[in-house]
Amino acid sequence: MMASEELVEPLGIEWVPSAKRHGKPSQLFSLWFSANLGMPAWLVGVLGPVLGLDLGQTLFAIILGNIIASLLVGLTAKAGTGQGLAQLPLSRSIFGRRGNYLPSFLNTLSAIGWYTINTAVGGEAMAKLIHIPLALGLFFVAAGQIALGYLGYDIIHRFERVMVYVQGVLFILMSYEVVHHLPRLAHVHAGNYGDFLLELAAVVSYSFSWAPYASDYGRYLPESTAPQRVFWATFWGTFLGTVWVECIGAVVGALGWGNLSPIGMVQNLMGPLTGFALLAIIFGTMTADAINGYTATLSLLTLDIPIRRTQAAIFLGAVGWLVAWLANSHLLSDYENFLLLLSYWVAPWVGIVLVAAHQGLINKDRALLAKGVDAAAIGGFLVGIVAVIPFMSTILFEGPVAKMLDNGDTGYYAGMLVGALVYYLLLRLRKSAALSHSLS
């Protein structure tokens, strides 16, 4: 018999015992679908026309990029099926306990960073919707998000399930308005391949940045859960939610509104129905940040900081709210550029996780007993990060290969492939050395 849901999650990053296992893989579909119905995915779609792509090119980049990214998120979730551990604690089985501090720190910084950016957008939408000061709008949004993080796993899943229907209705309204505006689209010449590669990278990076979160939301599933069901629920939830919202954003960008603020774009699209769109932004902020905040908490605990999960949820949520409140729009823009630069670390990490899964190295026993630093994993990770540099194209830095590709960004692919290859080769060398030692 499966355990019942709990109002306040008592566990932190401990292994989830069999008696506490509950839920079905289908809940992963609703969680990832709901989490992607928000303004961040919308802005990824807007970016294509802003870069100079026509609508057809942008839609192709959205579909192709989300197939790639959703596969990676699904495979990462599949690797953790039945293990009863969150993603970064489970990653100890690959990197070692202390070696895992680096990806855990990067994930904490990244997750709470995006939490802050989203809170700023959601707080502004709240302030405009009910005509209150921005500081109060930020507070209301942050308070709801902190409450979700404090309550934890089961309440987050319940919230995301409800939001599938609420957000679904709101985004159907937006989709109707998009169709209504289609006749106003002007003919645009196709963009170059560099701009296409840059939009494709933006699409891939947005969705596959969820990969270090993937097992956090299936760790209470029964040990008998089929890995394939976890994969497909994660894949389709991520793919369908993101593609839908990014396609809406692509049309908004093609209408020439890409230079407006997120709220300005919504007002132009929705007109007298703007209030419904502002609600969608607020709820979209909370569905994404419930996950950002919860994962940031688990990643922080993986650094072996002696703090309870509930305390960490309050602390990190308050930090995100405070930064969103104190920062001006220019500072938030610079911070967002920094977070986009930071996101490249996910590529070699995903490559290493997939190799480790193929080699049968990911399991709870290895993670719980892990000590020290795994040189092969850290070596592959660091080399993978270095391999990204020549291929990356960002506002803050552009590598030489990216310049040759007309500013096209292929850094994520280079980082993932090089990180995976170096890790695999180092594993082979270690096995060969161990075999030679045993025979001597």
Side-chain angles (χ1 to χ4, degrees):
M1 184 175 68
M2 290 192 296
S4 59
E5 296 183 356
E6 296 174 295
L7 179 61
V8 180
E9 182 184 2
L11 298 180
I13 59 169
E14 301 90 344
W15 174 67
V16 180
S18 299
K20 286 188 173 290
R21 301 295 184 94
H22 59 277
K24 298 179 180 179
S26 58
Q27 69 193 44
L28 296 173
F29 174 87
S30 58
L31 182 134
W32 292 115
F33 184 83
S34 178
N36 286 296
L37 297 183
M39 189 53 68
W42 167 304
L43 295 177
V44 171
V46 169
L47 179 63
V50 170
L51 291 172
L53 301 181
D54 64 25
L55 183 58
Q57 289 176 309
T58 304
L59 295 178
F60 180 57
I62 287 170
I63 293 170
L64 176 60
N66 275 296
I67 290 173
I68 296 169
S70 300
L71 281 170
L72 295 173
V73 178
L75 288 171
T76 309
K78 178 184 175 183
T81 303
Q83 300 299 329
L85 288 172
Q87 194 72 61
L88 266 298
L90 187 59
S91 185
R92 287 170 171 169
S93 63
I94 306 171
F95 290 86
R97 191 180 186 97
R98 291 200 303 275
N100 199 48
Y101 287 168
L102 179 56
S104 297
F105 170 75
L106 293 172
N107 202 43
T108 304
L109 185 61
S110 178
I112 204 60
W114 288 116
Y115 176 101
T116 301
I117 297 294
N118 291 342
T119 299
V121 176
E124 183 183 355
M126 175 72 81
K128 287 186 178 295
L129 180 65
I130 59 177
H131 307 290
I132 58 174
L134 176 59
L136 203 53
L138 291 169
F139 174 77
F140 286 150
V141 170
Q145 293 170 172
I146 291 171
L148 288 167
Y150 179 90
L151 295 172
Y153 182 92
D154 287 326
I155 296 302
I156 289 172
H157 270 289
R158 285 191 193 184
F159 176 70
E160 300 288 355
R161 281 199 298 271
V162 171
M163 285 297 107
V164 166
Y165 301 103
V166 176
Q167 288 287 80
V169 170
L170 294 172
F171 274 93
I172 286 172
L173 284 176
M174 285 194 196
S175 300
Y176 172 81
E177 289 299 321
V178 162
V179 172
H180 181 70
H181 281 80
L182 284 178
R184 303 183 188 182
L185 289 176
H187 175 72
V188 177
H189 293 291
N192 61 41
Y193 70 92
D195 294 333
F196 176 82
L197 288 175
L198 197 56
E199 171 66 3
L200 182 65
V203 172
V204 170
S205 66
Y206 168 77
S207 289
F208 103 143
S209 64
W210 294 119
Y213 300 43
S215 293
D216 297 359
Y217 304 94
R219 65 195 183 112
Y220 281 83
L221 291 176
E223 292 166 293
S224 59
T225 301
Q228 284 299 114
R229 292 186 63 195
V230 169
F231 169 80
W232 287 115
T234 303
F235 174 86
W236 286 116
T238 304
F239 180 81
L240 294 176
T242 309
V243 167
W244 184 11
V245 178
E246 287 178 355
C247 287
I248 293 175
V251 175
V252 169
L255 287 166
W257 300 335
N259 61 332
L260 301 175
S261 70
I263 303 299
M265 284 187 269
V266 164
Q267 289 173 326
N268 272 22
L269 175 66
M270 301 300 289
L273 297 177
T274 294
F276 292 105
L278 293 176
L279 269 179
I281 293 174
I282 295 166
F283 290 140
T285 295
M286 296 183 70
T287 55
D289 274 355
I291 292 177
N292 282 322
Y294 183 75
T295 286
T297 298
L298 300 181
S299 298
L300 181 68
L301 295 176
T302 311
L303 295 170
D304 289 326
I305 294 174
I307 184 173
R308 294 177 62 85
R309 185 196 63 79
T310 49
Q311 295 169 333
I314 294 171
F315 170 73
L316 290 176
V319 168
W321 164 70
L322 193 61
V323 174
W325 179 36
L326 295 177
N328 58 41
S329 58
H330 178 71
L331 180 59
L332 284 174
S333 177
D334 290 342
Y335 187 36
E336 185 172 0
N337 290 331
F338 166 71
L339 290 172
L340 291 169
L341 185 67
L342 179 68
S343 68
Y344 286 98
W345 77 268
V346 179
W349 181 87
V350 168
I352 289 167
V353 167
L354 295 181
V355 170
H358 183 264
Q359 297 292 309
L361 299 177
I362 301 178
N363 62 71
K364 68 174 180 64
D365 295 325
R366 283 177 57 90
L368 295 173
L369 297 173
K371 298 178 181 178
V373 177
D374 187 290
I378 286 294
F381 185 64
L382 294 176
V383 173
I385 289 176
V386 172
V388 166
I389 296 173
F391 299 87
M392 67 195 310
S393 178
T394 72
I395 292 175
L396 300 177
F397 176 81
E398 185 177 31
V401 177
K403 291 178 181 177
M404 293 169 56
L405 295 174
D406 250 347
N407 305 320
D409 191 328
T410 53
Y412 296 100
Y413 322 117
M416 185 174 67
L417 292 173
V418 171
L421 179 61
V422 171
Y423 176 56
Y424 176 75
L425 292 176
L426 290 175
L427 284 178
R428 291 288 299 271
L429 286 173
R430 187 161 67 191
K431 289 179 180 178
S432 297
L435 181 61
S436 298
H437 180 73
S438 65
L439 294 175
S440 60

